[in-house]
Amino acid sequence: MANFLRFWLSFGLLITLSLQQSAPLVFRDAEPPKIAGKQLLVRGARYHNESHHSHLEPQRKDSFYWTASQNGQPAFAEFVVETDDDTSVVSMERFKYLLKSVHCTNTSLAVDFKNQKSFEYTKRAWKWVNEIERNTLIVVAGTGQCGWNTHRLPFAVSKIEFDDHTKTAKLQARRSEWKDVFYSFELSVGRVAKEEVHDTCVAPQHMKRKEHEKTLTMSFDHLWDLPQKDFSTPEDAFSLTLSCDQCGTKGSFELGFYLRNEKHVPKAATFTLTAHGVSARIGPKLTLSGDFTEEYSQQFDLAKIPIYGYSIPGVLDLGPEIVFSLGFSVGPVSGSASISSGIDISLLDSAELKIDLLSPHVVHSGWTPQVRTEPVKVDAQIEAGVNIHAKAAIQLAAEALGHGFEAGVNLKPVLGATLSLSESTAGVCANDEKHHVFGVSVAPSAGVSLNAEITRASDKGNPLAKLTIADLKEAIPDACVGFGPVVANSSLPAKRDSSGMASNQSDADSLPTASSSQVHQRYHRRHHHHHGRRH
Ligand SMILES: *[C@@H]1O[C@H](CO)[C@@H](O)[C@H](O)[C@H]1NC(C)=O
Ligand SMILES: *[C@@H]1O[C@H](CO)[C@@H](O)[C@H](O)[C@H]1NC(C)=O
Ligand SMILES: *[C@@H]1O[C@H](CO)[C@@H](O)[C@H](O)[C@H]1NC(C)=O
Ligand SMILES: *[C@@H]1O[C@H](CO)[C@@H](O)[C@H](O)[C@H]1NC(C)=O
C-alpha cells in the first residue's frame, strides 16, 4: 500500500505560489565617501600642494564603492584592492574633471587631458610604468567613461606613450577582469559581520564602514496559502487531504557578504543574516481516513521564491532564494477524522547569524526561536500517528571574483501526534466531564529546528558542514477527546450491569464511526486484504 501511495503521490505535488522571477538588482558606481585625512600610499613623485592632482598618483591601495536602491533603502558595497609590489592602481573616475576625452579598446586607452599642468603631472606620475618591464598600472574606467562600458572596468597597462602635442597619454592596455588583476582585496556588501568578528589585517576602520553600513533587505513576508490538497486514492479507500490556510512567514532578513583575499588565497568569507520581525506559522489540517499499518511520508516544495539577486558586474553575483516545503507522515491509521493544530515560531529582533564559509561554522546570537503551540483538535474517533513539518529555507549563493560559495539556513517547525482510541464503560478521558465511552488520547509533540548547511558552489553534493543552530522540543500536555455515548449516571451502573451491555443502545448505534472493536476488526480485514492483493 505504501509503495503504491508513494508512486501515486509522486505526481504534481509542486505547488507554485505566485512567483516573480526578477532581474538582479545591479549596483551602480558610487562616489567614495568623503574621508578626512585619508592616507594615500603614493608611489612616485609627491606634490602635496596639488591635492586635486593627487588622484592621478598611482596607488598601492584603492577603494571602489557601489550602491543600489531597493524599496527606497540603499544598499552598499565596498571593494578595497591592494596591489602587488610591481603594480599600482588609478581610478579615472577620481580625475574625470581633468580629462577632455577617454578612448578605450580592448587593447588600448587614450587619455586626453584638458590642461597642460595635469598632463605634465601625469607624465611624471605614470612614467614609472615604463621604467621596468613588469611594472603594471591598473587603470579603472568608471561606468560609461569609455563610452561603451556598462560597468566599471579595469585595464592592465604595461606601456605608456605621452603625446605632448595633443596632451594625450596613449596606454598599451589589456581589458581585464577584476579577479585577474587584483589578488588581494576585501569586498563588503550589505550588512557585513560586526567588526569584532572580522579578522585582523583589515583596512583601517575609520568612520566609513559605519557610515555606509547600509543593508540588503530580503523580504520574508510570504503567505503560503495552501488550499486543500487531496492525496486520496479511491482504489485503496485511502483518503488524505491536507490544507494549511494560515501558513506563512513574516518579517525580513538583512543580508551581508564579506570576502577577503590575500595574494590569491581567500582568507575570510562570510554571509551574515540579521532577523527583523521574523516569524513563521503553520496551522495544518489533515483529514484522514483509512486502515493501514505502514507509515507513509511525503515532502514537497510549496514554493521556491527567488529573491531578486544582486549584481556588481564583474565582481559579485549574489542570489538568495527562499524555498518553502511541507512534509507529512501518517500511519498507522485506523479510522477517519480531521486533525488540526498550530505552531508559531518567531525569532528575536536583531538575531544575528554569521556563516563562516571557509572554516565552515556558524556564529549566532539570539537565534533560539520562541515557540507557541496550539492544542491538537480531533473531530472523530481515530487511531493514527501523524507528523507534519514545514521548512522555510533560505539559500544563499555568492559568486565573487572567481570564488563561489553557497550556504543554506532552514527553519523547520514540526508538529506531531499519536492518537489512540480507547473504550471504557467508566469514560475514557479523565478530564471529560461528560464521561464519554470512547476517547481519543492525543500524545502531541512539537518542536523547531534551525539548521545550516555550507557548500562550495563547485561541489554542491558534498556540503562542507551541516550545523544545527537550534533544536527545541516544546512540551505539550497530552490531551484526550471524548466521543460517543456518555457513561450512565452514577445512579445507573447497577441497572446497566443487570440489563447487559448498554442501556443506551440507540445512541451507540448512531455513532458516526465504528466503535473501537469494530475499527479493529475492519482494520484486520483490510490489512489482510491488502497483503493478499499486493503480494
Ligand atoms: C607646488 O606645486 C608646484 C607645481 O605645480 C611646484 O612648483 C611647487 O614647488 C610646489 N610647492 C610645494 C611647497 O611643494
Ligand atoms: C573585447 O573584449 C570583450 C570581452 O573580452 C569581447 O566580448 C569583445 O568582443 C572584444 N572586442 C573586440 C573588438 O575585440
Ligand atoms: C445524574 O442523574 C441525575 C438525575 O438522574 C442528574 O441530576 C445529574 O445531573 C446526573 N449527572 C450527570 C453527571 O449527568
Ligand atoms: C441516550 O443518551 C443520550 C445522551 O447521550 C440521551 O440524550 C438519551 O436520552 C439517552 N437515551 C436513553 C434511552 O437513555
Side-chain angles (χ1 to χ4, degrees):
M1 168 112 165
N3 284 339
F4 173 74
L5 286 177
R6 209 157 286 140
F7 169 77
W8 194 85
L9 285 167
S10 62
F11 293 102
L13 283 181
L14 189 81
I15 298 158
T16 312
L17 301 188
S18 56
L19 305 182
Q20 290 131 317
Q21 179 90 49
S22 314
L25 188 64
V26 180
F27 280 74
R28 55 180 198 284
D29 298 1
E31 295 276 320
K34 301 280 178 285
I35 302 154
K38 188 186 176 191
Q39 276 278 298
L40 297 179
L41 291 161
V42 175
R43 197 196 291 281
R46 286 171 171 79
Y47 289 83
H48 296 295
N49 67 346
E50 294 269 3
S51 68
H52 63 286
H53 278 160
S54 67
H55 290 308
L56 289 161
E57 296 281 358
Q59 310 289 321
R60 292 296 309 280
K61 190 166 186 171
D62 207 346
S63 301
F64 299 91
Y65 302 89
W66 288 268
T67 57
S69 186
Q70 176 204 232
N71 309 325
Q73 285 209 310
F76 183 75
E78 177 187 33
F79 184 42
V80 180
V81 298
E82 215 166 326
T83 63
D84 284 351
D85 283 346
D86 43 16
T87 307
S88 289
V89 55
V90 289
S91 164
M92 288 201 293
E93 288 161 78
R94 297 185 198 269
F95 52 84
K96 60 180 179 233
Y97 57 93
L98 299 175
L99 305 179
K100 196 156 99 191
S101 70
V102 179
H103 182 74
C104 329
T105 72
N106 281 358
T107 55
S108 73
L109 285 177
V111 183
D112 198 350
F113 287 86
K114 278 180 187 163
N115 67 56
Q116 192 65 30
K117 220 169 165 184
S118 314
F119 178 67
E120 291 298 333
Y121 191 101
T122 305
K123 259 174 88 170
R124 282 193 299 269
W126 292 8
K127 70 174 192 298
W128 151 91
V129 177
N130 293 330
E131 281 166 6
I132 300 175
E133 172 102 36
R134 63 171 187 277
N135 284 354
T136 306
L137 179 65
I138 310 300
V139 177
V140 177
T143 300
Q145 250 186 323
C146 292
W148 49 264
N149 61 319
T150 54
H151 54 84
R152 271 197 185 115
L153 212 53
F155 290 84
V157 174
S158 49
K159 207 164 188 325
I160 307 178
E161 274 176 44
F162 296 96
D163 186 331
D164 292 334
H165 183 63
T166 58
K167 301 190 293 293
T168 302
K170 293 177 174 171
L171 290 67
Q172 229 176 65
R174 183 170 34 84
R175 174 191 174 159
S176 303
E177 298 291 328
W178 293 94
K179 67 177 167 57
D180 297 331
V181 291
F182 296 113
Y183 313 128
S184 299
F185 54 78
E186 190 189 15
L187 174 66
S188 313
V189 188
R191 189 188 176 95
V192 297
K194 287 196 179 109
E195 259 103 71
E196 65 264 27
V197 288
H198 270 194
D199 300 283
T200 51
C201 192
V202 165
Q205 299 290 339
H206 15 75
M207 292 311 288
K208 63 178 179 181
R209 172 152 296 130
K210 285 207 169 61
E211 265 171 38
H212 284 85
E213 203 188 71
K214 301 289 165 52
T215 57
L216 293 184
T217 306
M218 186 168 64
S219 171
F220 201 54
D221 255 323
H222 303 285
L223 193 69
W224 297 4
D225 191 28
L226 174 67
Q228 197 168 81
K229 187 77 191 154
D230 199 344
F231 301 100
S232 305
T233 62
E235 191 194 328
D236 280 86
F238 165 85
S239 153
L240 193 157
T241 62
L242 176 65
S243 61
C244 204
D245 55 358
Q246 291 175 56
C247 296
T249 55
K250 286 205 167 93
S252 63
F253 285 101
E254 272 174 32
L255 175 63
F257 176 69
Y258 176 76
L259 174 64
R260 183 161 55 81
N261 235 43
E262 277 170 29
K263 300 191 189 305
H264 296 278
V265 182
K267 292 288 184 185
T270 59
F271 283 124
T272 313
L273 275 179
T274 312
H276 289 286
V278 169
S279 66
R281 167 177 170 78
I282 57 167
K285 182 173 178 183
L286 199 61
T287 303
L288 263 179
S289 162
D291 297 301
F292 54 97
T293 45
E294 287 144 296
E295 187 181 276
Y296 169 65
S297 60
Q298 182 76 38
Q299 176 168 320
F300 52 96
D301 283 347
L302 276 175
K304 284 183 201 288
I305 300 174
I307 309 302
Y308 46 4
Y310 305 92
S311 169
I312 303 173
V315 176
L316 173 75
D317 283 304
L318 195 59
E321 184 184 61
I322 297 178
V323 182
F324 294 121
S325 49
L326 204 59
F328 63 83
S329 66
V330 295
V333 173
S334 162
S336 126
S338 286
I339 304 155
S340 62
S341 184
I343 183 169
D344 289 276
I345 58 178
S346 57
L347 292 176
L348 288 178
D349 254 11
S350 68
E352 187 169 288
L353 181 106
K354 187 187 84 158
I355 304 171
D356 185 331
L357 299 157
L358 294 183
S359 50
H361 71 284
V362 173
V363 180
H364 53 92
S365 62
W367 276 71
T368 304
Q370 319 280 300
V371 182
R372 201 176 60 78
T373 56
E374 289 155 29
V376 177
K377 290 189 194 123
V378 189
D379 68 358
Q381 297 172 64
I382 191 163
E383 301 227 299
V386 298
N387 217 294
I388 297 177
H389 71 259
K391 199 153 103 176
I394 300 168
Q395 314 276 16
L396 303 169
E399 194 70 43
L401 299 147
H403 304 288
F405 302 100
E406 294 210 0
V409 179
N410 69 64
L411 194 62
K412 188 176 170 187
V414 180
L415 276 173
T418 304
L419 308 164
S420 45
L421 188 58
S422 27
E423 179 186 11
S424 163
T425 51
V428 172
C429 304
N431 60 348
D432 178 5
E433 282 176 8
K434 288 188 173 159
H435 302 290
H436 288 94
V437 171
F438 299 113
V440 176
S441 301
V442 182
S445 58
V448 58
S449 63
L450 244 161
N451 305 286
E453 189 173 301
I454 301 166
T455 311
R456 263 192 223 295
S458 54
D459 188 14
K460 289 180 197 176
N462 291 307
L464 297 171
K466 286 186 173 187
L467 306 147
T468 300
I469 298 162
D471 193 5
L472 296 183
K473 296 273 176 288
E474 186 68 9
I476 307 179
D478 287 1
C480 186
V481 186
F483 294 99
V486 294
V487 173
N489 205 326
S490 55
S491 61
L492 295 175
K495 196 174 161 192
R496 178 192 172 99
D497 284 346
S498 63
S499 69
M501 254 314 281
S503 62
N504 199 331
Q505 195 63 48
S506 64
D507 185 55
D509 284 342
S510 71
L511 277 179
T513 52
S515 73
S516 69
S517 58
Q518 282 170 315
V519 164
H520 281 291
Q521 277 167 21
R522 204 177 64 193
Y523 157 76
H524 285 297
R525 266 203 317 276
R526 285 189 56 82
H527 188 62
H528 289 133
H529 166 72
H530 282 297
H531 276 274
R533 199 146 53 94
R534 301 275 162 215
H535 301 291

